[in-house]
């Protein structure tokens, strides 16, 4: 099926789920999820296949085994278009709208490779320029950060702010009224192009070698 944006009920579904995060409500409203959320995401995944080597639409269920929060369902729907392991573009939808983003995230080995590249002059300076351009274009940086310098890193390193990240993404937000039609596809591919330098940097310097 062609992607025609997300209907208003996709956002209403998650607003209601925040209050009724329980199996009976989910089962009663499953047809809404499948029509308003799952089907559009699957259509969007097909659109992204040409730019990625794998596109994954995440399951709606939370892993509650080791969490104090036992609510069973995620209050957002996500998708990841992977270019290399842990590196690619993502789309997240919740009650407040849609996030379009890209970057890289993963385990400790990815963090180690990321920081080594940032410390090195050429790739570190290149990432600094990429991040600056994205921020000027209105993208918000994301990723888990340390409050201080990583162990073994000089606090006065010229790229200390980047080195505090364990992984790095950039994203922009669209309100529900801006994500409800086929024009969202144009916005997504604009974001794919904008974020291509960051994703490419991650694929070259951070993704595990194969």
């Amino acid at each position: 099926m062609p992607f025609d944006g997300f209907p208003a009920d996709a956002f209403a579904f998650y607003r209601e789920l925040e209050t009724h995060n329980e199996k009976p409500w989910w089962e009663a409203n499953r047809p809404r999820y499948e029509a308003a959320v799952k089907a559009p995401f699957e259509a969007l995944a097909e659109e992204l296949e040409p730019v990625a080597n794998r596109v994954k639409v995440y399951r709606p269920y939370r892993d509650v085994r080791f969490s104090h929060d036992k609510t069973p369902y995620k209050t957002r729907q996500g998708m990841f278009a992977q270019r290399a392991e842990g590196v690619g573009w993502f789309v997240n939808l919740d009650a407040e709208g849609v996030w379009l983003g890209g970057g890289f995230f993963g385990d400790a080995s990815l963090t180690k490779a990321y920081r080594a590249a940032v410390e090195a002059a050429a790739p570190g300076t290149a990432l600094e320029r990429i991040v600056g351009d994205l921020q000027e274009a209105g993208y918000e940086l994301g990723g888990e950060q340390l409050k201080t310098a990583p162990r073994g890193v000089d606090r006065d390193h010229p790229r200390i702010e980047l080195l505090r990240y364990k992984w790095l993404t950039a994203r922009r937000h669209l309100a529900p009224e801006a994500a409800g039609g086929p024009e969202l596809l144009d916005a997504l591919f604009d974001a794919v192009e904008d974020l291509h330098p960051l994703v490419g940097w991650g694929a070259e310097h951070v993704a595990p070698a194969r």
Side-chain angles (χ1 to χ4, degrees):
M1 95 182 223
F3 178 74
D4 293 321
F6 293 106
D9 197 42
F11 308 101
F13 176 87
Y14 282 107
R15 282 195 297 273
E16 295 170 34
L17 179 62
E18 290 175 356
T19 303
H20 304 287
N21 199 323
E22 58 213 14
K23 187 173 182 179
W25 186 90
W26 177 274
E27 292 300 332
N29 289 272
R30 181 187 290 273
R32 293 174 62 198
Y33 168 79
E34 292 181 347
V37 180
K38 183 179 179 181
F41 262 95
E42 289 177 343
L44 190 57
E46 292 183 10
E47 298 283 358
L48 281 171
E49 285 177 356
V51 303
N53 60 24
R54 179 170 176 257
V55 183
K56 178 180 178 63
V57 178
Y58 292 111
R59 288 164 56 85
Y61 312 106
R62 294 183 63 247
D63 183 351
V64 300
R65 292 173 297 172
F66 308 108
S67 174
H68 293 297
D69 179 1
K70 298 300 182 183
T71 51
Y73 305 105
K74 299 173 184 175
T75 54
R76 67 178 184 178
Q77 176 64 55
M79 180 179 72
F80 185 59
Q82 179 176 282
R83 174 170 167 181
E85 187 173 344
V87 183
W89 298 269
F90 60 84
V91 179
N92 288 324
L93 181 149
D94 60 17
E96 303 302 320
V98 173
W99 286 97
L100 308 176
F104 39 89
F105 48 87
D107 59 19
S109 63
L110 183 148
T111 301
K112 183 178 180 180
Y114 164 70
R115 287 182 175 150
V118 174
E119 282 196 272
T125 301
L127 180 61
E128 204 170 28
R129 183 173 59 253
I130 290 167
V131 165
D133 289 344
L134 287 170
Q135 288 178 307
E136 284 187 13
Y139 285 84
E140 169 187 316
L141 296 187
E144 187 177 352
Q145 284 180 290
L146 299 177
K147 293 182 179 179
T148 60
R151 183 176 301 174
V153 174
D154 185 349
R155 292 173 182 269
D156 296 323
H157 192 286
R159 291 179 291 282
I160 190 60
E161 292 302 315
L162 288 174
L163 286 164
R164 289 171 52 222
Y165 283 95
K166 293 184 178 181
W167 44 270
L168 184 65
T169 64
R171 62 181 189 169
R172 60 185 292 248
H173 186 257
L174 298 177
E177 55 270 22
E183 62 273 10
L184 175 60
L185 198 58
D186 292 333
L188 174 58
F189 279 102
D190 285 345
V192 167
E193 183 175 352
D194 290 344
L195 292 159
H196 193 271
L198 178 62
V199 171
W201 189 95
E204 179 178 358
H205 298 290
V206 176
R210 292 188 176 277

